Amino acid sequence: MWGPDHASTLSAKHNLASILHQTGELERASSLIQETLAKRRQYWGDDDPQTITSMGLMASILSSRGDLDAALPLFREAVERSRSAYGADHS
């Protein structure tokens, strides 16, 4: 049985946060992706592809909320970690 911290559960939470972001429910999206990102960092580290994806979504949500000072460093971190993990030419 999958628990609240199982990889599939965290993927579902990430996807729900993305939908909430797209529908303008920014507070709920922010809360959910913060929780998901923290768990992914805890279990798989900052360089895990799923963690990096959640970093990007968190940055997007922060940007949508108008918190560019918090969004920009997180976008930069996600890009740098992606480059390290996949190389500069990965698309």
Side-chain angles (χ1 to χ4, degrees), residues 12-28:
K13 288 180 177 182
H14 174 98
N15 293 339
L16 178 57
S18 180
I19 291 168
L20 292 169
H21 177 225
Q22 293 171 27
T23 59
E25 295 185 55
L26 300 180
E27 289 298 320
R28 288 181 61 201

Side-chain angles (χ1 to χ4, degrees), residues 41 55 59 62 67-81:
R41 281 181 158 161
M55 282 180 201
L62 288 166
D67 191 354
L68 301 180
D69 289 337
L72 186 57
L74 196 53
F75 273 130
R76 285 184 176 143
E77 180 181 3
V79 168
E80 288 305 312
R81 289 186 184 281

Side-chain angles (χ1 to χ4, degrees), residues 2-57:
W2 295 344
D5 298 337
H6 188 276
S8 294
T9 304
L10 294 176
S11 289
K13 288 180 177 182
H14 174 98
N15 293 339
L16 178 57
S18 180
I19 291 168
L20 292 169
H21 177 225
Q22 293 171 27
T23 59
E25 295 185 55
L26 300 180
E27 289 298 320
R28 288 181 61 201
S30 181
S31 176
L32 193 56
I33 198 60
Q34 283 177 351
E35 173 191 337
T36 303
L37 178 56
K39 293 289 185 179
R40 284 180 163 175
R41 281 181 158 161
Q42 177 184 353
Y43 294 123
W44 297 290
D46 288 338
D47 295 320
D48 178 79
Q50 298 302 314
T51 303
I52 294 167
T53 300
S54 288
M55 282 180 201
L57 180 56

